[in-house]
Amino acid sequence: MVSQKVISLLEDKINVVQKEGGESLYLVGPITLPVNLEGETKTFKWYSWLNCETMAGEFCSQGKMDAEKINKKIIFKQFS
């Protein structure tokens, strides 16, 4: 289960991007992550996305979204 804290942190990072042909996607990011490369910590900006068609019942074309549902799908997509 995705915690409410994670949802609230990512909520402001979700944007609707309109694509040609009327299709749209949810873009999540950037999420700043520290990455250790050969003993040196670098900052990595992570992004992920979902096609709006995968979010049945959502209103992507109207710019509306359910951040909790999107975050759950993004996290499941990345770690499955």
Side-chain angles (χ1 to χ4, degrees):
M1 178 174 182
V2 179
S3 75
Q4 192 60 41
K5 184 176 180 179
V6 170
I7 292 167
S8 65
L9 289 171
L10 294 178
E11 195 166 22
D12 292 335
K13 305 279 188 183
I14 301 172
N15 294 292
V16 177
V17 178
Q18 299 290 327
K19 299 188 303 185
E20 290 183 31
E23 297 176 357
S24 301
L25 58 89
Y26 292 110
L27 177 66
V28 179
I31 307 299
T32 304
L33 300 172
V35 178
N36 189 333
L37 299 171
E38 299 179 0
E40 188 175 344
T41 302
K42 299 286 185 178
T43 301
F44 174 75
K45 299 213 183 264
W46 173 84
Y47 290 83
S48 190
W49 61 91
L50 286 171
N51 289 325
C52 287
E53 297 79 37
T54 65
M55 295 293 293
E58 298 304 313
F59 305 99
C60 190
S61 62
Q62 298 171 6
K64 297 179 182 176
M65 61 192 129
D66 182 327
E68 183 172 3
K69 287 182 183 178
I70 294 167
N71 288 331
K72 285 179 182 177
K73 284 204 179 245
I74 291 279
I75 290 168
F76 179 77
K77 175 182 147 187
Q78 296 300 314
F79 299 105
S80 63

